[in-house]
């Protein structure tokens, strides 16, 4: 996903001169294509993420759309106050790019884990969450964010993720994106609704299940401002399983439950697959930690 991000950013920056990239002394072997081509719009802010965010807010107030970039927890939790006060409350076009969402950097220690970031940022008014499920959705989110500049949080996986779309899809906040083949959709009575990198896990199980009653959807753009419309999408299915590499509390599934408060009759249709807090403070590979946290465990019982 990080390679799709920088490739799309370079392409967009070629036609949008207001795009700038600020990094926190990370991203080597990834960000060079942008830095080499647009040196006057690239800044290495050093290991000073709070200053990086303040700098980005200042540049955004002067007309730039600034992308700040670092490993997941560093451009997010470490400078949450600057993101809230300087960026979100002032509705400035700053996109906080967090690479390695969830437990993608699990082996580097829990300082690199991002399993509470949804909970933090979905409480910020005016901030749009972007959690693409594959490299194609990364490009789709980038195009939307540049077309609609606003405070935003772009949560990427790491590298090497498979693509599940044949081309770059069109995305919009709050609208579910069909990922399983369209011919399967009309028969489906149940769907797995993913956000972020859990899409690969859901699609793996979907292929194994070979169940015509089951579909997979992705919701890459969501947040406080786009809860409306969820009820009518849930209503299409008898059962919906949300899936996220994040703790259940404050996460994507609980966001969906909040969105259905206007239709409490639909709440029994929802189930949530999320990480158990046992992963917090534990170090290991992403696969090991996801298994320890029980991610995907609910999928088997969701099949027919």
């Amino acid at each position: 996903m990080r390679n799709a991000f920088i490739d799309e950013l370079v392409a967009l920056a070629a036609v949008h001169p207001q795009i700038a990239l600020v990094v926190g002394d990370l991203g080597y072997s990834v960000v060079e294509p942008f830095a080499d081509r647009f040196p006057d719009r690239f800044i290495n802010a050093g290991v000073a993420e709070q200053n990086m965010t303040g700098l980005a807010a200042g540049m955004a107030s002067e007309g730039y759309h600034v992308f700040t970039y670092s490993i997941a927890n560093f451009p997010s939790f470490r400078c949450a106050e600057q993101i809230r006060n300087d960026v979100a409350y002032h509705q400035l076009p700053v996109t906080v790019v967090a690479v390695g969402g969830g437990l993608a950097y699990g082996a580097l220690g829990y300082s690199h884990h991002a399993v509470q970031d949804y909970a933090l940022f979905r409480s910020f008014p005016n901030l749009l969450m972007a959690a693409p499920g594959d490299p194609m959705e990364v490009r789709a989110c980038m195009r939307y964010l540049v077309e609609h500049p606003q405070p935003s949080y772009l949560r990427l996986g790491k590298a090497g993720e498979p693509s599940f779309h044949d081309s770059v899809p069109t995305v919009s906040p709050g609208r579910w994106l069909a990922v399983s083949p369209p011919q399967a959709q009309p028969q489906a009575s149940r769907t797995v609704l993913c956000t972020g990198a859990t899409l690969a896990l859901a699609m793996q199980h979907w292929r194994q299940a070979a169940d015509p009653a089951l579909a997979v959807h992705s919701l890459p753009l969501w947040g406080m401002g786009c809860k409306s419309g969820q009820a009518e999408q849930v209503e299409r299915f008898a059962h919906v399983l949300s899936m996220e590499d994040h703790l259940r509390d404050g996460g994507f599934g609980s966001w969906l439950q909040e969105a259905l408060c206007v239709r409490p009759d639909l709440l029994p249709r929802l189930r949530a697959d999320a990480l158990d807090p046992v992963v917090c403070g534990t170090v290991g590979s992403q696969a090991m930690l996801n298994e320890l946290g029980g991610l995907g465990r609910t999928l088997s019982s969701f099949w027919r």
Side-chain angles (χ1 to χ4, degrees):
M1 288 193 195
R2 63 189 182 193
N3 294 328
F5 159 74
I6 200 68
D7 184 60
E8 191 67 29
L9 187 68
V10 169
L12 291 167
V15 293
H16 296 280
Q18 76 277 18
I19 289 177
L21 176 63
V22 182
V23 302
D25 208 32
L26 284 171
Y28 302 117
S29 300
V30 176
V31 301
E32 285 86 347
F34 187 97
D36 293 343
R37 186 163 177 186
F38 309 105
D40 57 333
R41 288 188 266 157
F42 173 78
I43 297 174
N44 183 349
V47 187
E49 289 82 1
Q50 292 162 311
N51 290 339
M52 174 178 73
T53 307
L55 169 66
M59 292 173 66
S61 70
E62 295 299 316
Y64 284 97
H65 182 172
V66 186
F67 291 77
T68 62
Y69 178 98
S70 191
I71 289 178
N73 57 298
F74 300 130
S76 55
F77 275 88
R78 184 164 292 178
C79 40
E81 187 173 1
Q82 284 76 20
I83 295 171
R84 187 190 66 168
N85 296 352
D86 299 347
V87 175
Y89 284 178
H90 288 84
Q91 301 190 46
L92 292 172
V94 173
T95 298
V96 178
V97 182
V99 63
L103 297 163
Y105 284 99
L108 296 187
Y110 51 78
S111 62
H112 288 55
H113 301 173
V115 294
Q116 299 110 336
D117 49 337
Y118 293 156
L120 175 66
F121 289 121
R122 79 177 182 85
S123 68
F124 288 7
N126 310 318
L127 194 143
L128 181 64
M129 312 283 285
D134 76 350
M136 290 293 186
E137 291 187 16
V138 172
R139 294 178 184 275
C141 287
M142 291 287 292
R143 294 176 189 182
Y144 181 88
L145 294 175
V146 170
E147 188 68 23
H148 304 83
Q150 60 189 294
S152 51
Y153 175 65
L154 176 58
R155 188 202 213 232
L156 304 176
K158 193 176 174 185
E161 297 88 352
S163 290
F164 299 103
H165 301 275
D166 295 332
S167 59
V168 178
T170 299
V171 296
S172 61
R175 301 307 301 177
W176 298 10
L177 193 61
V179 183
S180 50
Q183 60 269 27
Q185 299 289 324
Q187 306 175 58
S189 60
R190 293 165 288 150
T191 192
V192 180
L193 177 63
C194 304
T195 194
T198 53
L199 180 60
L201 190 56
M203 286 301 292
Q204 177 187 348
H205 282 256
W206 178 83
R207 287 167 174 156
Q208 292 172 349
D211 183 348
L214 183 69
V216 176
H217 289 78
S218 176
L219 182 49
L221 293 176
W222 55 283
M224 186 184 292
C226 48
K227 286 181 176 173
S228 64
Q230 297 309 303
E232 63 189 53
Q233 294 177 96
V234 169
E235 197 169 26
R236 295 161 45 202
F237 300 94
H239 302 284
V240 175
L241 175 66
S242 66
M243 197 168 182
E244 59 191 305
D245 52 350
H246 184 278
L247 302 187
R248 185 186 309 273
D249 291 71
F252 176 64
S254 57
W255 171 85
L256 191 58
Q257 289 177 322
E258 292 168 15
L260 290 190
C261 286
V262 295
R263 286 286 308 275
D265 58 303
L266 296 177
L267 284 170
R269 301 188 185 191
L270 292 184
R271 295 176 65 184
D273 192 337
L275 289 168
D276 187 285
V278 70
V279 300
C280 296
T282 305
V283 178
S285 69
Q286 182 180 23
M288 185 277 276
L289 291 174
N290 281 342
E291 184 176 357
L292 176 67
L295 190 63
R297 201 171 293 163
T298 312
L299 280 171
S300 57
S301 61
F302 195 61
W303 305 147
R304 202 188 310 192

